Amino acid sequence: MNIVFVMHYAGSPKYGMAYRPHSLAKEWVKRGHQVTMVAASFTHLRQQQPVVEGDLQCEDIDGINYLWIKTPEYHSTPKRVVNIYVFVKKLKKYAKRIAKEYQPDLVIASSCYPFDIYPCKKIAKASGAKLCFEVHDLWPLTPMLVGGYSKWNPYIMLMQRAENVAYSSADFVNSLLWNSEEHAREHGLAPGKFQCVPNGYFKEDLVDVEKKVLPKEHEELFRKLYGEGKIIIGFAGNFAPAQYVSTLLSAAIKLKGNKRLHIVLVGRGVELEKYEETINKNNLDNVSILPAVSKDLVPAINAHFDICYLGGGHSELHKYGTCANKEIDYMLAAKPIVRSIDEPGALVEKIGCGIQVEAERPDLLVKAINKLASMTKEEREAMGKRGKYYTEANLEWGTLAEKFIAPAKK
């Protein structure tokens, strides 16, 4: 099968985030499919940008044909909008050329915004290919709820029209959000065309985790805490507002009297000073902060936790489902998860690998942590293993890649 995968922000190990398109494409190439990844030459997510001279430029990365579309650099919201406009305009301009040159059987509009559906629809029509609309976030609902934009805002109205076109035109829809089918149906998707394809993992990333050597500072802290018989509640990731580690720190204030528990935060980010200020102001000797580690060492960090924390804020969007890479990392580590996110029917509850409480409620978080801490080590391990078994059976990238394109084979 020839696949044209359009994802504005597509990255790779060579350039950096976003990795999901590369992960799926890598598995398709393994199975003999030809994949052309169409992406913008500049995005804010990458650590390094490809050097692109003309409007279109090809580059082979891991057997995947990356087709870079030249777009302007940006460092502000208005210029980012220009970047999106240029990408979509050029993609539409070269749609028939892409269809003729790559002869796709499947065109994927991987939507970080819905406007790319128009050129993707044009490519699919010109080549007689099936059209897949991949949903990462619900636009324009996300900027309406998060940014407070009115549905009558001209830009919101344009996005809504594009989303409606996407759902009504797609042969099938793949969403990272497990509970978003009803929303898709309300905007034009026919019955039987929806499936959830979340993020996944590569088995090779978990080889010899126990042999990984952590930095001295990390090893020493964990050794000290083990020696004191502590139960470690851990968070490893970006110190950003969206992670709501602040809720965990508020819980830490209430847990000061429990000498069995210790919270370890591993990472870096804009919230670091805020975390340190909270710790110092409240004399939290039950919280330690460690520097971030490289991606390959994250599984070894998670292996040292007894309970893993995942947080979020109050948001109507969460009722449609969430898909956090961190949650998969925690599940693969076979650790019970304490989850402070508003998501009815969350995966951790479905498979019984953790406890979920209402977002931004430190009091409820304290109860959940105490409940997990009161279990025996064997009971916590059994809970964690349920998450690992589920992940290994359902979320390996090869399994997800097959599921992703299965509707195109019908």
Side-chain angles (χ1 to χ4, degrees), residues 275-295:
Y275 300 167
E276 291 174 334
E277 182 181 337
T278 300
I279 292 168
N280 294 330
K281 180 180 178 181
N282 296 280
N283 298 312
L284 298 181
D285 58 0
N286 59 343
V287 181
S288 298
I289 297 180
L290 291 169
V293 297
S294 58
K295 185 181 177 183

Side-chain angles (χ1 to χ4, degrees), residues 5 20 24 108-111 132-136 174 176 197 404:
F5 196 143
R20 174 181 168 90
L24 289 165
I108 301 164
S110 187
S111 179
C132 169
F133 181 53
E134 185 185 30
V135 180
H136 295 253
N174 287 334
L176 279 82
V197 184
F404 194 108

Side-chain angles (χ1 to χ4, degrees), residues 166-388:
Y167 284 130
S168 60
S169 302
D171 292 291
F172 62 100
V173 167
N174 287 334
S175 176
L176 279 82
L177 310 175
W178 65 271
N179 200 31
S180 59
E181 181 175 6
E182 182 180 347
H183 174 87
R185 294 277 295 275
E186 289 173 355
H187 291 278
L189 184 67
K193 291 188 174 184
F194 177 94
Q195 66 174 354
C196 176
V197 184
N199 285 325
Y201 78 101
F202 288 113
K203 290 179 181 178
E204 54 263 36
D205 291 343
L206 300 177
V207 174
D208 296 330
V209 171
E210 66 282 354
K211 295 180 181 179
K212 299 285 187 181
V213 178
L214 295 177
K216 184 179 179 181
E217 181 180 358
H218 298 64
E219 291 283 5
E220 287 180 349
L221 175 63
F222 286 125
R223 192 181 303 115
K224 174 179 177 291
L225 296 176
Y226 290 149
E228 295 171 354
K230 301 287 189 182
I231 293 174
I232 302 172
I233 300 99
F235 170 87
N238 186 22
F239 294 165
Q243 304 296 335
Y244 280 83
V245 173
S246 55
T247 305
L248 180 59
L249 290 176
S250 295
I253 297 171
K254 299 175 182 294
L255 290 167
K256 280 177 68 175
N258 191 333
K259 300 303 179 183
R260 295 179 63 219
L261 305 179
H262 197 89
I263 294 168
V264 176
L265 311 177
V266 183
R268 61 170 172 264
V270 295
E271 294 273 278
L272 176 58
E273 287 187 15
K274 180 180 175 181
Y275 300 167
E276 291 174 334
E277 182 181 337
T278 300
I279 292 168
N280 294 330
K281 180 180 178 181
N282 296 280
N283 298 312
L284 298 181
D285 58 0
N286 59 343
V287 181
S288 298
I289 297 180
L290 291 169
V293 297
S294 58
K295 185 181 177 183
D296 66 304
L297 290 180
V298 170
I301 288 288
N302 291 336
H304 286 78
F305 299 152
D306 296 296
I307 300 167
C308 296
Y309 171 75
L310 192 67
H314 289 302
S315 175
E316 188 180 334
L317 291 168
H318 291 161
K319 73 179 183 181
Y320 298 103
T322 63
C323 187
N325 287 325
K326 193 183 314 304
E327 187 166 38
I328 297 172
D329 292 341
Y330 290 161
M331 290 165 69
L332 286 169
K335 303 297 178 178
I337 299 167
V338 60
R339 201 172 188 271
S340 176
I341 298 176
D342 299 334
E343 184 183 354
L347 188 60
V348 294
E349 293 183 326
K350 287 180 180 178
I351 62 180
C353 67
I355 298 175
Q356 174 160 291
V357 298
E358 183 183 340
E360 301 183 63
R361 286 288 302 274
D363 56 328
L364 298 181
L365 184 56
V366 166
K367 289 181 180 179
I369 290 172
N370 282 330
K371 183 175 181 179
L372 290 171
S374 68
M375 295 178 178
T376 65
K377 181 179 179 183
E378 291 72 25
E379 287 173 330
R380 285 195 299 272
E381 287 178 348
M383 180 178 277
K385 284 178 181 177
R386 286 195 283 271
K388 184 173 184 180

